[in-house]
Amino acid sequence: MTIYKALQIRNDINRETVNALVSLFSEAPISLTKNEKFFCVKYNPDIYLSNEKKISKLYRQKTFKPLIMTNYKFLALLVQLKKDHRIDTEYTDFYFSDTEYTETDDHLDLKEEIKQHIVENKLDFEDLINLLSDSSYNIKFVEFKPKNSTDYITIYASGNIKCSNPRGNVDLEIVLDVIEFLFTGRVTSYE
């Protein structure tokens, strides 16, 4: 299992600055990158916390944007994973944050209703958002498994991304495409 932080780097930032930024998150080099604009860096909490002030300064300077998930982004991702066959998955699920690893009947009913609407494309996206907003539940994470893979990818509300086995057969391009979608609402390799 490997945990990554997803970052969007400002266009005018040079590679040296990017390398310096990445070293603040982890001792490992950049593991994943797309168009030198979207990065997944291995995340080490101890190194991150020891560099928190430096990271905050670079963030305030708008050197980078971290991925922070919202219900809106989670639902957009779930819809995208269902409708876009270029990001081909055979398993997708999500969990609410206040369930403490056990889901109540209310959680399960709402979860099944959301899944049904996504699968059947019954509601427009705003209605889907309203359905979740009315419940006051927050999505904690989305988990999916690309087809022809034994590995799972989990995206947490904090923006952390977990790959169950990054040395396995997970297609890391899918991870980068999902990250680009979450930052921009589209994937350039598909246009």
Side-chain angles (χ1 to χ4, degrees):
M1 172 183 72
T2 302
I3 304 291
Y4 295 96
K5 280 282 191 190
L7 307 175
Q8 180 179 14
I9 307 297
R10 202 172 71 210
N11 288 335
D12 62 339
I13 302 300
N14 64 38
R15 185 62 173 186
E16 186 177 306
T17 303
V18 170
N19 290 341
L21 171 65
V22 168
S23 71
L24 300 175
F25 288 87
S26 173
E27 71 282 350
I30 294 173
S31 298
L32 311 170
T33 184
K34 182 171 185 179
N35 303 331
E36 296 293 316
K37 186 171 183 174
F38 303 100
F39 291 88
C40 271
V41 296
K42 287 186 181 177
Y43 171 67
N44 179 319
D46 295 331
I47 292 175
Y48 177 84
L49 289 174
S50 70
N51 292 311
E52 191 173 19
K53 288 182 182 178
K54 292 175 188 174
I55 292 169
S56 294
K57 181 180 177 186
L58 290 169
Y59 174 74
R60 283 191 310 274
Q61 294 171 343
K62 299 185 182 194
T63 303
F64 73 97
K65 283 194 245 180
L67 177 62
I68 302 294
M69 295 298 292
T70 61
N71 278 345
Y72 187 90
K73 284 184 179 182
F74 275 129
L75 287 175
L77 175 61
L78 289 166
V79 168
Q80 186 72 11
L81 290 172
K82 176 62 184 156
K83 76 175 187 175
D84 192 336
H85 298 290
R86 296 169 291 195
I87 303 177
D88 209 7
T89 61
E90 61 184 46
Y91 168 84
T92 304
D93 207 351
F94 66 95
Y95 299 87
F96 292 111
S97 60
D98 59 349
T99 60
E100 308 263 342
Y101 299 107
T102 59
E103 295 189 325
T104 65
D105 287 342
D106 287 343
H107 288 109
L108 293 174
D109 290 345
L110 178 61
K111 186 175 179 176
E112 287 309 310
E113 187 175 356
I114 289 171
K115 283 181 169 184
Q116 181 180 357
H117 287 302
I118 290 171
V119 168
E120 296 175 7
N121 202 17
K122 288 173 72 174
L123 294 175
D124 70 19
F125 189 72
E126 290 304 315
D127 290 337
L128 199 55
I129 290 291
N130 290 335
L131 179 67
L132 186 56
S133 296
D134 290 345
S135 73
S136 75
Y137 296 136
N138 291 312
I139 297 175
K140 182 177 184 176
F141 63 88
V142 166
E143 182 177 65
F144 63 95
K145 183 170 86 86
K147 280 197 175 168
N148 304 319
S149 174
T150 58
D151 304 323
Y152 289 85
I153 299 167
T154 307
I155 301 177
Y156 294 92
S158 65
N160 288 349
I161 299 168
K162 177 178 80 174
C163 294
S164 62
N165 183 8
R167 291 187 183 93
N169 61 353
V170 88
D171 184 352
L172 296 178
E173 279 299 313
I174 290 174
V175 175
L176 290 169
D177 287 345
V178 166
I179 290 166
E180 182 180 15
F181 173 76
L182 291 170
F183 275 117
T184 67
R186 58 182 165 43
V187 180
T188 55
S189 62
Y190 299 154
E191 296 176 346

